[in-house]
C-alpha cells in the first residue's frame, strides 16, 4: 500500500502491529495516543491504520508527538483528514512531510488520533500487545483494547543525524 515517492533513501516498514486481531477502538471524541519506539533511524514517512467503520467517515485529526505516553508536548506535526482514502481492507495511509520527522532507532514518539464525532472505529491488536509502546485515552492508560493496530514506515538515508 505504500505510495510514497520522491524520498531520498529507501522507505522501509519499521514498527507496527498486525491488523484484524479481534480488537477495535471506537474513537467517539476521545483523544487517543499510541506510543511507538522507533526501530530504524530516518524520517517517519507514513503511518497506516485500519478503519473498521464503514459508510460516511467522520473527520479525524492525526498527530505525531515527541516522547511517549502520557503526551505532554504540542504536536510535531498534525493533520485533519476529512475523507480518508481507504483500500479494500479499510487501511488508510497517512503520508507525512518528507524529511520533517526525524527519529533515531530507540527514540519514542506518539501517534495521536481524535475524531470530531462518534462513529469512527479503528482496528486494535487485542492481543497481542505492542511491546514498544502503549495506548492512552485522554491522557490515561486505555482500559479497552491493548494497542492501536498500526504500521510505521521510515525513509532511511533522508536525515543525517549529528
Amino acid at each position: 500500500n505504500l505510495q510514497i515517492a520522491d524520498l531520498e533513501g529507501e522507505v522501509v516498514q519499521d514498527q507496527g502491529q498486525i491488523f484484524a486481531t479481534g480488537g477495535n477502538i471506537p474513537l467517539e471524541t476521545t483523544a487517543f495516543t499510541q506510543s511507538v519506539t522507533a526501530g530504524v533511524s530516518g524520517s517517519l514517512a507514513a503511518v497506516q491504520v485500519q478503519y473498521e467503520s464503514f459508510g460516511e467517515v467522520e473527520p479525524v485529526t492525526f498527530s505525531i508527538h515527541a516522547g511517549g505516553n502520557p503526551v505532554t508536548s504540542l504536536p510535531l506535526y498534525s493533520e485533519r483528514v476529512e475523507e480518508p482514502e481507504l483500500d479494500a481492507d479499510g487501511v488508510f495511509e497517512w503520508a507525512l512531510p518528507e524529511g520533517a520527522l526525524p527519529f533515531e532507532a530507540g527514540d519514542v514518539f506518539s501517534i495521536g488520533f481524535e475524531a470530531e464525532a462518534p462513529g469512527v472505529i479503528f482496528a486494535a491488536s487485542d492481543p497481542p500487545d505492542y511491546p514498544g509502546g502503549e495506548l492512552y485515552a485522554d491522557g490515561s492508560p486505555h482500559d479497552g483494547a491493548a494497542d492501536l493496530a498500526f504500521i510505521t514506515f521510515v525513509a532511511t538515508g533522508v536525515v543525517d543525524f549529528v
Side-chain angles (χ1 to χ4, degrees):
N1 293 337
L2 195 59
Q3 300 171 353
I4 299 170
D6 302 322
L7 291 176
E8 300 171 20
E10 181 181 7
V11 176
V12 297
Q13 182 175 327
D14 184 16
Q15 298 297 296
Q17 286 290 88
I18 57 173
F19 299 138
T21 59
N24 63 49
I25 303 169
L27 298 191
E28 301 301 318
T29 56
T30 303
F32 283 93
T33 51
Q34 171 69 54
S35 58
V36 178
T37 302
V40 177
S41 295
S43 182
L44 188 61
V47 176
Q48 288 182 343
V49 296
Q50 185 176 26
Y51 280 73
E52 289 194 347
S53 47
F54 299 99
E56 188 172 329
V57 178
E58 295 295 329
V60 173
T61 299
F62 291 92
S63 56
I64 301 294
H65 300 263
N69 279 316
V71 168
T72 58
S73 64
L74 293 174
L76 298 171
Y77 180 76
S78 67
E79 182 178 0
R80 182 176 185 264
V81 177
E82 290 193 36
E83 296 182 22
E85 292 184 28
L86 307 179
D87 71 9
D89 295 320
V91 174
F92 167 66
E93 182 173 288
W94 181 36
L96 297 163
E98 181 179 331
L101 299 164
F103 293 102
E104 292 190 65
D107 285 352
V108 177
F109 64 92
S110 295
I111 304 165
F113 47 104
E114 182 176 4
E116 293 181 11
V120 178
I121 301 171
F122 282 172
S125 55
D126 187 21
D129 291 344
Y130 165 64
E134 55 197 346
L135 180 66
Y136 269 52
D138 287 334
S140 299
H142 186 250
D143 61 357
D147 288 290
L148 173 69
F150 69 95
I151 299 173
T152 60
F153 294 89
V154 173
T156 61
V158 172
V159 178
D160 191 16
F161 292 99
V162 179

